[in-house]
């Protein structure tokens, strides 16, 4: 099964390596590509915001399960997903690809300080990357103006870290203009990449407890974390409705 529907969002049921293959194929063919890395928080936000849901459902070319909660949701609905595929892992891998191919990359998001470090690190670690844009997320222009600025730079890849749903709204504008680039919202990836925020130790990653590490190290995330139990409750409701419908169809 290549698609798994969880609360209205169609997730692509691919492994990390399969996602990489598809991204390389789209990159080789210069296809305008919008990637959404959706976690339970994004799923719940989309269910409360029809415009956000419409962007994901109509404009996204690939939707990854960025969060163990999504994998759990798939199991609950008896439509298991192959694995969790995080935005950060795709982001750093795509930078490696851009480095090898000497591609044009546009970065937008985070604080001025974080963007400065991110820009410097990209130049040092990925010298083959041509940064055609590196601006922080505190711009005053509207998203349409920003989209025009990005389009003019003619990037091969665009990474937006301005939080959802704004990063998806921005990428949607570029996708609708058929900008021939791999474009992805990466949330807090610049913070982690720059070292401003530490990624969870490997033991937390392997046991799928990155969320717990983030909560321990940053208690202010507590309110955001409430989206996870809310998500589980909604998935359980969806499961019951699905079972009820299946029973009716067999009568």
């Amino acid at each position: 099964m290549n698609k798994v529907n969880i609360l209205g969002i169609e997730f692509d049921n691919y492994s990390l390596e399969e996602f990489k293959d598809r991204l390389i194929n789209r990159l080789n063919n210069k296809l305008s590509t919008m990637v959404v890395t959706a976690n339970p928080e994004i799923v719940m936000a989309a269910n409360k915001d029809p415009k956000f849901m419409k962007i994901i459902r109509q404009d996204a070319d690939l939707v990854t399960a960025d969060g163990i909660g999504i994998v759990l949701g798939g199991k609950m609905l008896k439509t298991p997903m192959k694995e969790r595929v995080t935005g950060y892992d795709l982001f750093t891998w795509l930078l490696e690809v851009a480095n090898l191919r000497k591609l044009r990359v546009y970065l937008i998001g985070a604080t001025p300080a974080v963007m400065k470090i991110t820009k410097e690190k990209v130049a040092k670690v990925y010298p083959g990357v041509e940064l055609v844009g590196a601006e922080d997320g505190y711009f005053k222009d509207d998203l349409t103006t920003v989209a025009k600025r990005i389009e003019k730079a003619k990037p091969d890849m665009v990474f937006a870290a301005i939080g959802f749903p704004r990063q998806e709204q921005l990428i949607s504008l570029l996708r609708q203009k058929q900008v021939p680039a791999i474009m992805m919202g990466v949330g807090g990836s610049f913070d982690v990449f720059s070292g401003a925020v530490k990624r969870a130790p490997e033991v937390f990653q392997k046991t799928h407890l990155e969320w717990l590490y983030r909560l321990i190290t940053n208690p202010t995330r507590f309110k955001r974390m409430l989206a996870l139990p809310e998500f589980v409750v909604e998935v359980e409701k969806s499961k019951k409705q699905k079972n009820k419908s299946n029973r009716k169809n067999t009568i």
Side-chain angles (χ1 to χ4, degrees), residues 12-41:
D12 291 284
N13 192 13
Y14 301 132
S15 66
L16 176 60
E17 292 306 313
E18 288 172 330
F19 267 110
K20 289 179 178 180
D21 288 342
R22 279 157 180 78
L23 287 170
I24 288 296
N25 180 62
R26 296 185 71 88
L27 187 64
N28 289 342
N29 288 285
K30 298 186 182 300
L31 297 176
S32 184
T33 303
M34 178 177 179
V35 182
V36 173
T37 58
N39 57 21
E41 200 175 355

Side-chain angles (χ1 to χ4, degrees), residues 33-103:
T33 303
M34 178 177 179
V35 182
V36 173
T37 58
N39 57 21
E41 200 175 355
I42 286 178
V43 172
M44 294 312 301
N47 271 267
K48 296 172 183 177
D49 182 348
K51 290 182 179 179
F52 187 25
M53 178 67 84
K54 184 178 180 181
I55 285 174
I56 297 175
R57 296 181 70 168
Q58 292 189 1
D59 296 334
D61 298 285
L62 293 168
V63 181
T64 81
D66 186 359
I68 191 59
I70 301 300
V71 176
L72 173 62
K75 287 182 179 179
M76 290 173 64
L77 295 170
K78 299 190 183 307
T79 50
M81 304 198 67
K82 291 185 178 180
E83 65 176 312
R84 175 190 176 202
V85 178
T86 73
Y88 186 78
D89 289 335
L90 285 178
F91 167 59
T92 52
W93 171 75
L94 283 167
L95 283 179
E96 292 176 6
V97 173
N99 182 56
L100 291 171
R101 298 190 176 199
K102 301 188 184 306
L103 301 180

Side-chain angles (χ1 to χ4, degrees), residues 10-228:
E10 295 281 346
F11 285 85
D12 291 284
N13 192 13
Y14 301 132
S15 66
L16 176 60
E17 292 306 313
E18 288 172 330
F19 267 110
K20 289 179 178 180
D21 288 342
R22 279 157 180 78
L23 287 170
I24 288 296
N25 180 62
R26 296 185 71 88
L27 187 64
N28 289 342
N29 288 285
K30 298 186 182 300
L31 297 176
S32 184
T33 303
M34 178 177 179
V35 182
V36 173
T37 58
N39 57 21
E41 200 175 355
I42 286 178
V43 172
M44 294 312 301
N47 271 267
K48 296 172 183 177
D49 182 348
K51 290 182 179 179
F52 187 25
M53 178 67 84
K54 184 178 180 181
I55 285 174
I56 297 175
R57 296 181 70 168
Q58 292 189 1
D59 296 334
D61 298 285
L62 293 168
V63 181
T64 81
D66 186 359
I68 191 59
I70 301 300
V71 176
L72 173 62
K75 287 182 179 179
M76 290 173 64
L77 295 170
K78 299 190 183 307
T79 50
M81 304 198 67
K82 291 185 178 180
E83 65 176 312
R84 175 190 176 202
V85 178
T86 73
Y88 186 78
D89 289 335
L90 285 178
F91 167 59
T92 52
W93 171 75
L94 283 167
L95 283 179
E96 292 176 6
V97 173
N99 182 56
L100 291 171
R101 298 190 176 199
K102 301 188 184 306
L103 301 180
R104 298 164 65 86
V105 174
Y106 201 110
L107 306 176
I108 180 168
T111 65
V114 166
M115 179 50 71
K116 181 177 183 294
I117 297 172
T118 298
K119 181 179 178 180
E120 292 171 350
K121 185 173 178 180
V122 168
K124 181 179 180 180
V125 180
Y126 307 103
V129 169
E130 182 180 354
L131 271 183
V132 295
E135 58 178 300
D136 63 67
Y138 289 78
F139 51 83
K140 294 182 179 180
D141 297 326
D142 58 48
L143 293 182
T144 299
T145 300
V146 176
K148 289 179 180 177
R149 185 159 65 240
I150 295 174
E151 182 180 14
K152 189 176 180 180
K154 297 182 179 180
D156 297 301
M157 295 181 184
V158 178
F159 300 106
I162 55 177
F164 69 84
R166 288 179 76 224
Q167 59 190 24
E168 285 76 27
Q169 290 168 352
L170 173 61
I171 294 172
S172 173
L173 292 172
L174 296 166
R175 180 67 181 83
Q176 289 169 23
K177 290 185 177 183
Q178 292 291 312
V179 174
I182 301 296
M183 302 172 288
M184 181 169 70
V186 293
S189 291
F190 296 169
D191 294 317
V192 176
F193 183 77
S194 67
V197 173
K198 289 186 177 180
R199 193 177 188 187
E202 194 170 337
V203 63
F204 282 86
Q205 295 180 43
K206 287 184 176 180
T207 54
H208 307 301
L209 292 172
E210 282 187 274
W211 63 270
L212 178 60
Y213 177 82
R214 289 196 294 270
L215 183 58
I216 293 171
T217 55
N218 186 5
T220 60
R221 291 179 60 93
F222 178 73
K223 285 186 177 180
R224 290 180 59 183
M225 290 295 181
L226 292 177
L228 182 55

Side-chain angles (χ1 to χ4, degrees), residues 7 44 73 76-77 229-245 247:
L7 299 182
M44 294 312 301
M76 290 173 64
L77 295 170
E230 183 183 5
F231 169 79
V232 172
V233 169
E234 290 303 315
V235 170
E236 184 62 31
K237 287 181 182 178
S238 174
K239 176 184 176 181
K240 289 180 179 178
Q241 291 173 353
K242 182 179 180 180
N243 290 340
K244 187 177 180 179
S245 176
R247 283 197 296 271

